[in-house]
């Protein structure tokens, strides 16, 4: 919780934002601005002077060109690390050592050693550390957790999540030197959700990363498969070379199947009570056809509540969780240990892929 001697428990949490790019400005600053009774932006840092001036004009906050000057500013309680991926560990450690609570953008770190350094430093400083996996707050994911827990789909054997687009990209997130690539940018979100649904320890990992339309040197086509000793096969597919939209989820079980997206999901459950008992018959069938069941289905449908099927909703839910932790002593919904598990799996994916690096496809100009 916040130190009451530093700030009244009824006062808004004072936030500093390191990096005013797409994430820092469009996600974090906008979310905080809508929660004025709980948070206030008191300082920001960005090497771009025009962005600092924009923030000062919008929020009346202090501005810095050097993030390290921001980290030691005493008017900041919570530090948001929205700098490029490769700087997350460095900036998080500096902010924690300056006595700040830290919300770090995903991906948390490149490997488990870096993640452990961040976690250990937070513990040593008595500070809270969050990683911004806001998609755990999506209503469809909460519903998905309920459906899986109910056992209605039976034993889950295969889980596929897919995001297909057809587009080129040419920003810093297409460059490996900045920690870019689809596996880190989008894959970290989706693998996180799958590992929350099924916290497996994969014994086999297949990773295929390729460059198709990107102008950078990091992948824009990504396939990952995680196979555990026990539990479902987890299948991730992200591509900027897929012109046909896919369902985000396809989940297959011994009693039914679910498919859907954040706005709506459908699932079918087989009613085995309406089926006759069957026995194995290895001899030739009299009808010369494949035997099959005429399944009676229980059909289910879910639609996202109005006003909740959008990213700003999950952003504010994440900040509300932070507020409840700092002001009321609640346990965070997104634990750093669960994110550490994700970092470990992502590092294993990269290691497996490095044994067979893609040559890439000629990029269209």
């Amino acid at each position: 919780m916040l130190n009451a001697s530093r700030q009244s428990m009824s006062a808004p949490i004072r936030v500093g934002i390191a990096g005013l790019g797409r994430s820092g400005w469009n996600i974090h600053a906008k979310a905080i601005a809508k929660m004025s009774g709980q948070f206030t932006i008191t300082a920001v840092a960005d090497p771009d002077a025009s962005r600092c001036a924009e923030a000062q004009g919008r929020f009346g906050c202090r501005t810095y060109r050097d993030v390290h000057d921001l980290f030691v500013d005493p008017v900041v309680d919570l530090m948001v690390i929205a700098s490029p991926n490769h700087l997350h560990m460095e900036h998080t450690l500096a902010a924690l050592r300056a006595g700040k609570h830290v919300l770090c953008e995903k991906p948390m770190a490149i490997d488990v050693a870096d993640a452990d350094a961040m976690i250990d430093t937070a513990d040593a400083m008595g500070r809270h550390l969050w990683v911004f996996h806001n998609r755990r707050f999506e209503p469809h994911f909460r519903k998905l957790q309920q459906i899986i827990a109910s056992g209605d789909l039976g034993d889950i054997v295969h889980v596929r999540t897919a995001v297909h687009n057809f587009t080129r990209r040419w920003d810093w997130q297409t460059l490996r030197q900045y920690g870019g690539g689809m596996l880190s940018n989008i894959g970290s979100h989706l693998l996180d959700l799958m590992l929350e649904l099924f916290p497996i320890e994969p014994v086999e990992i297949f990773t295929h990363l390729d460059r198709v339309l990107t102008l950078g040197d990091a992948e824009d086509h990504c396939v990952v498969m995680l196979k555990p000793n026990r539990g479902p096969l987890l299948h991730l597919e992200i591509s900027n070379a897929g012109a046909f939209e896919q369902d985000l989820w396809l989940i297959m079980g011994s009693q039914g199947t679910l498919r859907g997206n954040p706005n709506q999901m459908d699932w079918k459950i087989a009613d085995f009570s309406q089926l006759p008992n069957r026995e194995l018959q290895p001899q030739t069938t009299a009808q010369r056809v494949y035997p099959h069941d005429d399944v009676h289905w229980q059909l289910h449908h879910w639609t996202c509540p109005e006003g909740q099927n959008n990213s700003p909703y999950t952003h504010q839910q994440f900040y509300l969780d932070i507020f409840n932790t700092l002001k009321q002593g609640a346990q965070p919904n997104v634990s750093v240990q669960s994110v550490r598990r994700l970092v470990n799996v992502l590092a294993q994916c990269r290691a497996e892929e490095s044994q067979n690096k893609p040559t890439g496809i000629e990029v269209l100009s």
Side-chain angles (χ1 to χ4, degrees):
M1 296 178 66
L2 289 173
N3 188 331
S5 65
R6 289 178 56 203
Q7 182 188 27
S8 168
M9 295 303 291
S10 63
I13 296 168
R14 303 171 298 180
V15 182
I17 303 177
L20 297 175
R22 182 191 62 83
S23 176
W25 187 257
N26 289 335
I27 295 176
H28 296 281
K30 286 185 177 180
I32 295 166
K34 294 178 180 179
M35 306 178 74
S36 58
Q38 296 152 314
F39 296 91
T40 183
I41 298 173
T42 52
V44 300
D46 195 280
D48 187 327
S50 65
R51 290 182 173 181
C52 287
E54 183 181 15
Q56 200 282 328
R58 172 69 176 81
F59 301 111
C61 59
R62 300 183 185 184
T63 63
Y64 299 97
R65 303 287 293 281
D66 188 330
V67 293
H68 294 88
D69 293 331
L70 170 61
F71 296 154
V72 298
D73 191 322
V75 304
V76 173
D77 302 303
L78 172 67
M79 193 67 245
V80 176
I81 305 300
S83 45
N85 297 350
H86 68 297
L87 297 173
H88 285 178
M89 183 189 72
E90 174 192 335
H91 288 174
T92 294
L93 292 179
L96 288 169
R97 288 165 180 161
K100 314 302 184 189
H101 301 288
V102 172
L103 169 59
C104 178
E105 259 292 349
K106 60 81 191 166
M108 178 186 190
I110 296 174
D111 54 37
V112 172
D114 288 354
D116 284 343
M118 297 161 73
I119 294 170
D120 292 345
T121 301
D123 290 342
M125 296 300 301
R127 301 291 89 182
H128 286 286
L129 171 62
W130 294 267
V131 183
F132 196 61
H133 282 285
N134 60 295
R135 297 198 68 168
R136 293 197 201 177
F137 291 89
E138 290 187 5
H140 96 276
F141 179 67
R142 297 296 176 90
K143 182 61 178 180
L144 198 54
Q145 288 177 305
Q146 295 175 11
I147 296 170
I148 298 299
S150 74
D152 287 347
L153 296 176
D155 294 328
I156 307 302
V157 296
H158 192 107
V159 179
R160 177 178 183 260
T161 183
V163 174
H164 284 192
N165 293 291
F166 195 91
T167 184
R168 294 176 293 176
R169 281 188 63 172
W170 50 91
D171 58 312
W172 69 264
Q173 287 189 325
T174 67
L175 296 171
R176 291 191 176 197
Q177 71 183 92
Y178 299 128
M182 295 295 260
L183 183 59
S184 295
N185 295 339
I186 299 178
S188 59
H189 272 310
L190 300 183
L191 277 175
D192 178 65
L193 297 185
M194 285 200 289
L195 291 171
E196 276 295 291
L197 289 173
F198 305 98
I200 65 169
E201 290 293 337
V203 295
E204 293 183 39
I205 295 177
F206 169 82
T207 306
H208 173 70
L209 307 179
D210 213 339
R211 297 173 54 252
V212 184
L213 296 175
T214 178
L215 274 67
D217 62 355
E219 75 281 350
D220 64 349
H221 180 82
C222 169
V223 177
V224 172
M225 291 189 181
L226 308 178
K227 180 181 178 182
N229 271 327
R230 183 184 298 274
L233 177 74
L234 304 186
H235 175 189
L236 168 72
E237 188 173 299
I238 305 169
S239 182
N240 274 353
F244 292 98
E245 186 176 356
Q246 306 289 303
D247 285 327
L248 180 62
W249 294 103
L250 177 65
I251 300 179
M252 294 178 275
S254 60
Q255 295 179 190
T257 301
L258 177 146
R259 68 177 183 180
N261 296 289
N263 59 329
Q264 62 181 12
M265 297 187 294
D266 295 282
W267 61 105
K268 302 166 67 172
I269 301 172
D271 186 354
F272 283 98
S273 68
Q274 301 296 317
L275 297 176
N277 292 328
R278 300 289 189 187
E279 294 182 356
L280 181 64
Q281 298 179 357
Q283 67 272 20
T284 302
T285 59
Q287 296 81 13
R288 296 187 178 91
V289 295
Y290 288 119
H292 67 278
D293 282 317
D294 185 11
V295 178
H296 295 263
W297 294 106
Q298 298 173 7
L299 305 179
H300 300 268
H301 178 80
W302 174 89
T303 300
C304 184
E306 186 176 355
Q308 297 183 17
N309 183 25
N310 56 76
S311 294
Y313 171 82
T314 68
H315 303 159
Q316 292 178 57
Q317 290 299 304
F318 200 107
Y319 273 96
L320 181 60
D321 191 63
I322 292 176
F323 181 85
N324 290 337
T325 298
L326 293 180
K327 293 289 191 175
Q328 300 175 13
Q331 289 297 313
N333 273 287
V334 180
S335 73
V336 288
Q337 289 299 330
S338 68
V339 182
R340 180 189 185 276
R341 174 188 63 203
L342 170 67
V343 171
N344 184 38
V345 170
L346 285 169
Q348 291 182 63
C349 290
R350 291 283 187 191
E352 194 279 335
E353 181 270 342
S354 68
Q355 300 175 18
N356 185 25
K357 287 184 177 296
T359 58
I361 298 173
E362 182 179 358
V363 177
L364 299 177
S365 60

